[in-house]
Amino acid sequence: MDIATLIASNHLSRADVDGARDALAGVGAMTAEPAWIDDGIAVDLPFGRIDRAAARAALEGLLPGVDVVVQPRAHRAKKLLVADMDSTMITIECIDELADYAGIKAEIAAVTERAMRGELDFEAALDARVALLKDLDESAIERCHAERVVLMGGARTLIQTMKANGARTVLVSGGFTVFADRVAASIGFDRALSNRLGLADGRLTGIVARPIVGAATKQAVLEEERAALGLDPAETLAVGDGANDIPMIQAAGLGVAYHAKPRTAAAAAARIAHGDLTALLYAQGYARAAWVD
């Protein structure tokens, strides 16, 4: 049987679970007894006889504030995580906040939004935005990191718990090393890969070093890390929010769109729209008592 995991951002009642079972039965599923991961928060609904897409369609949006992850039983606890940074592992888009120190946040944020929605070529949009930051004092980077960078809820718990259970964790960001390296270290990632801002004489040069870390790089890193570890694709997890995360999300055993742009959410096999990153621990079957902070 497959598993549908219901994860509440607030509370999940027995009646909610019964309603979810009825919804599955209504599309032809055979369901087994629910198994609570954490009472009132997360529960597994084993089911069979219908495919996962039909189960997901029956359950998503059924219960307010509840995320749904539908997946096979096998390889549920993943051995490799590849994650995006901006608006995934941290709450901001670093380039937008950096632009605020140059007085052009609105202009750059509009381009960022379109790029993350997949409406613009990522590499060209990155070049254009960074060019607008030319001559910004390097001190703005330190200010931005200190004043604006905030870890996403559950980020460190997700990474530390997976690592404690033998998983490898990799941060791959279309953002910048001046932020990503420190974010990765503070959360506990095993590896970080991101773009390098040009700096000279204490100022930004307006140039991004090549090669640019974009969608193809993210997918390639997932596949290279998986091969190096000798893992089955089903043992991998990828999470991100933007259009440049789609290839890695689709290449992973469990690809998760996290509070994502519409195109990314539509492309992913799982969506987290309500909870924080600890929802990915529940999706892997880890109860709160097993979490590592």
Side-chain angles (χ1 to χ4, degrees):
M1 300 182 85
D2 290 323
I3 300 171
T5 305
L6 308 183
I7 306 158
S9 58
N10 186 15
H11 181 72
L12 193 62
S13 70
R14 306 283 168 162
D16 291 332
V17 176
D18 289 342
R21 291 186 76 184
D22 289 344
L24 288 174
V27 293
M30 173 185 67
T31 63
E33 191 66 23
W36 286 93
I37 303 172
D38 271 328
D39 194 48
I41 299 293
V43 67
D44 286 337
L45 296 181
F47 70 91
R49 199 180 289 157
I50 62 170
D51 64 26
R52 291 188 287 275
R56 180 181 171 192
L59 294 174
E60 279 192 333
L62 179 68
L63 300 170
V66 175
D67 292 310
V68 178
V69 177
V70 178
Q71 60 185 322
R73 281 181 179 273
H75 302 303
R76 182 182 188 181
K78 306 305 181 185
K79 295 301 181 185
L80 171 65
L81 167 67
V82 179
D84 174 47
M85 179 178 73
D86 294 77
S87 298
T88 302
M89 287 291 146
I90 60 176
T91 62
I92 64 166
E93 294 286 335
C94 287
I95 192 167
D96 296 354
E97 300 306 318
L98 195 57
D100 200 18
Y101 294 93
I104 54 172
K105 180 177 180 177
E107 180 179 354
I108 283 188
V111 178
T112 300
E113 178 68 14
R114 292 188 63 199
M116 292 302 98
R117 286 179 173 271
E119 298 169 4
L120 300 173
D121 174 76
F122 176 80
E123 185 168 323
L126 184 62
D127 279 337
R129 286 174 290 163
V130 172
L132 293 173
L133 297 177
K134 184 178 180 180
D135 292 328
L136 180 65
D137 195 284
E138 185 178 0
S139 64
I141 294 170
E142 294 304 318
R143 287 188 60 197
C144 186
H145 183 271
E147 297 172 2
R148 308 288 177 91
V149 173
V150 177
L151 299 184
M152 190 67 72
R156 182 170 172 80
T157 302
L158 170 64
I159 299 309
Q160 292 299 319
T161 302
M162 290 188 67
K163 287 179 65 176
N165 286 274
R168 178 166 170 80
T169 59
V170 182
L171 184 71
V172 185
S173 173
F176 308 118
T177 56
V178 289
F179 299 108
D181 287 355
R182 286 182 283 188
V183 166
S186 66
I187 295 175
F189 279 91
D190 295 305
R191 178 189 176 194
L193 183 67
S194 57
N195 290 305
R196 289 171 290 136
L197 277 174
L199 295 166
D201 302 321
R203 294 186 178 276
L204 275 66
T205 64
I207 295 172
V208 184
R210 266 39 184 185
I212 283 182
V213 175
T217 307
K218 292 187 176 196
Q219 180 182 355
V221 167
L222 173 72
E223 293 174 345
E224 290 163 5
E225 290 278 352
R226 177 189 63 76
L229 294 168
L231 299 177
D232 186 281
E235 297 178 278
T236 66
L237 167 63
V239 58
D241 72 299
N244 62 326
D245 298 313
I246 291 174
M248 75 169 183
I249 284 173
Q250 293 184 324
L254 179 60
V256 178
Y258 180 78
H259 294 264
K261 302 297 185 288
R263 182 175 169 187
T264 312
R271 294 191 284 260
I272 301 300
H274 305 291
D276 66 16
L277 287 167
T278 59
L280 300 188
L281 291 174
Y282 282 129
Q284 295 178 78
Y286 293 112
R288 187 180 296 271
W291 296 358
V292 179
D293 294 322

